[in-house]
Amino acid sequence: MSFRIYNTLTRRLEEFTPIEPGRVGVYVCGPTVYGHAHLGHAKSYVSFDVLVRYLRYLGNQVTYVQNITDVGHLTDDADEGEDKIDRQARREHKHPMAIAEYYTRSYFEDMDALACVRPDISPRASGHIPEQIELVQTLLDKGFAYEVNGSVYFDVMRFAEYGKLSGRSLDDMQAGARVEVNPEKRHPADFALWKRAEPNHIMQWNSPWGRGYPGWHLECSVMSMKYLGATIDIHGGGIENQFPHHECEIAQSEAANGVPFVRYWVHNNMVTVDGQKMGKSLNNFITLKQLFREGHPLLSRTYDPLAVRQLILQSHYRSPIDFSDAALAAAQSGYDRITKAVVSLRRQENAAPEGEASPDIDAELGQLQARFEEAMNDDLNTSVALSVVFELVKLAGRVLEDGSATAGTLRAVDTTFGRLGGDVLGLVRDMYPEVGRGEEALLDHLLQLMIDQRAEARRRKDFAAADAIRDQLASFGIVLEDKPGGLTTWRRA
């Protein structure tokens, strides 16, 4: 079965065929770096990380481009409002580039924790201003854009296919337009390619139309075309970017080049928290740093980043996912089962007698791998693929109970874990500190088990049991410290 993926542009599952056999160009809209990454970022970038990993698993050479938006993304996600980074810079009394640098580092720190592979190229919008000015001029020269008072807008009436990605018509856009339409625009749906900068706007550059800054939509077209060509294989992003961002990318790119911009459009769905849309006003906005280390009032504890990754993979990338403390706890338990199986395999492998892998085990592993690939070939069905990994956990348990299993058999199961659960799903690590690190690792593990038991007792309001665990640990010189947000740490007295 060949790899099939859902193409938002055609609204159907399609067999994936790259422009050049064996080579795939993937562009994914990256973050606007004005705050710490949150659950929505985790859903999106884990989803596309698995896509890139699986394309490579299939033997393709993938060039993965994911931009950093550090200018031009306005607060209404279109052409009005403040620049998001400029606004955050004023709040923190820092230069906008200092804001962008700080939150870019924070973003990659969180993505590394989630085991997302780094993009091959991470271009910044502010580093591609000359190319953006050049594209604006091309669109002006071809009659697809017009300049008004130092701002340049794309004329959607000149591009007959505007709306083909989102399914919206210009008549619908006209009828649904707000009363306060920008008087500079010929049509309410016209979008900014270049914006005139007010004197107090820090992020601005010289252009043929005066000092200004690029439009958000323009940036992604320029950076994707610069590194992947006029037509690219796959363009990904969140479903919330389908309109207007991706629709505008198509219009300006195809108007400038006269060729299709993207062959396969791929969109991931959004997240909710305890059944509600995530938002700061609802007090359910959870950053990844809160989830991994700092704690949050809605969570009873912090969670391993790869447990969060597992929760995301339990749902399809095109389906919404609901984050809750109970769902995260279940995912943590499942992830711990996978980790325990792999660590146990590797430990026993070191002590097992040498020998070839069992033919029966090899055959079973082949069947599991085939089922895994069948699921992934079906539009990245990670929930089914993950169930195959848990069948590997059961197989590992049987092999480990057999005291006569050879090192070859144990190695074969471990290798399959690494290929499927590691190389593709990103849940199995190459190295675990529990293997060969000695008593300190064992102490860490046992103490975390006791901390989890105490947290469970407190959830049941069995405070006597919780206090008993704390007191028992204290008698051995271990002090528990409860942090804000439900996080508990330990230290030696």
Side-chain angles (χ1 to χ4, degrees), residues 349-383:
E349 180 186 334
N350 294 333
E354 283 299 328
E356 296 295 322
S358 160
D360 291 342
I361 295 298
D362 262 347
E364 191 167 351
L365 291 173
Q367 293 169 1
L368 290 174
Q369 181 167 325
R371 288 170 50 200
F372 180 91
E373 292 175 0
E374 182 181 11
M376 293 299 291
N377 283 335
D378 184 19
D379 195 25
L380 300 175
N381 194 334
T382 54
S383 61

Side-chain angles (χ1 to χ4, degrees), residues 112-423:
D112 289 346
L114 284 168
C116 291
V117 294
R118 288 284 184 106
D120 298 296
I121 304 171
S122 298
R124 298 191 183 204
S126 62
H128 296 74
I129 299 299
E131 294 93 336
Q132 292 174 73
I133 291 174
E134 182 180 353
L135 180 57
V136 175
Q137 190 61 59
T138 297
L139 291 168
L140 283 166
D141 293 343
K142 291 189 173 185
F144 287 100
Y146 56 93
E147 184 266 335
V148 182
N149 298 325
S151 293
V152 181
Y153 298 95
F154 186 90
D155 188 345
V156 295
M157 297 296 291
R158 296 296 310 276
F159 187 74
E161 293 186 288
Y162 190 77
K164 64 181 178 180
L165 180 67
S166 61
R168 304 188 185 198
S169 70
L170 286 176
D171 289 341
D172 292 338
M173 295 177 203
Q174 179 80 56
R178 294 172 299 184
V179 175
E180 306 86 5
V181 174
N182 185 336
E184 292 183 342
K185 296 183 179 183
R186 296 176 182 173
H187 187 284
D190 290 352
F191 57 91
L193 300 167
W194 185 265
K195 290 281 287 183
R196 178 185 68 255
E198 299 301 328
N200 62 345
H201 197 285
I202 300 175
M203 304 283 278
Q204 56 178 281
W205 291 264
N206 287 323
S207 80
W209 318 285
R211 292 187 65 80
Y213 54 93
W216 174 40
H217 314 309
L218 184 77
E219 299 168 355
C220 283
S221 285
V222 164
M223 289 183 281
S224 62
M225 291 189 295
K226 179 179 178 67
Y227 298 107
L228 298 174
T231 301
I232 65 178
D233 289 306
I234 297 174
H235 192 315
I239 194 170
E240 71 277 8
N241 287 332
Q242 184 177 339
F243 184 89
H245 185 49
H246 293 158
E247 195 75 73
C248 295
E249 280 189 69
I250 292 173
Q252 64 202 8
S253 302
E254 296 187 359
N257 297 319
V259 295
F261 174 44
V262 174
R263 301 184 72 234
Y264 301 86
W265 281 95
V266 181
H267 291 92
N268 69 275
N269 216 313
M270 303 175 72
V271 305
T272 56
V273 178
D274 287 325
Q276 289 186 303
K277 182 179 179 181
M278 187 174 68
K280 292 182 178 178
S281 62
L282 298 174
N283 296 317
N284 66 352
F285 185 87
I286 304 176
T287 69
L288 297 183
K289 284 177 170 49
Q290 290 172 324
L291 194 57
F292 301 159
R293 294 194 301 275
E294 298 171 1
H296 188 278
L298 291 178
L299 304 175
S300 62
R301 54 167 290 186
T302 57
Y303 291 93
D304 190 302
L306 294 193
V308 177
R309 183 182 179 98
Q310 178 170 312
L311 178 58
I312 292 168
L313 297 181
Q314 287 172 196
S315 70
H316 193 270
Y317 76 92
R318 288 194 289 117
S319 299
I321 184 172
D322 186 55
F323 282 85
S324 67
D325 195 49
L328 286 164
Q332 181 71 61
S333 177
Y335 171 69
D336 290 343
R337 285 178 58 205
I338 295 173
T339 300
K340 180 181 177 182
V342 175
V343 169
S344 298
L345 279 170
R346 293 176 184 176
R347 281 180 174 157
Q348 192 157 318
E349 180 186 334
N350 294 333
E354 283 299 328
E356 296 295 322
S358 160
D360 291 342
I361 295 298
D362 262 347
E364 191 167 351
L365 291 173
Q367 293 169 1
L368 290 174
Q369 181 167 325
R371 288 170 50 200
F372 180 91
E373 292 175 0
E374 182 181 11
M376 293 299 291
N377 283 335
D378 184 19
D379 195 25
L380 300 175
N381 194 334
T382 54
S383 61
V384 173
L386 188 59
S387 73
V388 174
V389 173
F390 279 106
E391 291 193 44
L392 266 175
V393 172
K394 294 178 182 178
L395 175 59
R398 296 204 319 267
V399 170
L400 289 166
E401 289 175 4
D402 181 2
S404 63
T406 64
T409 295
L410 295 164
R411 193 176 301 118
V413 180
D414 180 26
T415 299
T416 305
F417 262 119
R419 285 274 286 159
L420 310 185
D423 293 348

Side-chain angles (χ1 to χ4, degrees), residues 32-45:
T32 301
V33 284
Y34 66 101
H36 293 301
H38 52 69
L39 289 174
H41 293 115
K43 164 73 170 176
S44 184
Y45 297 119

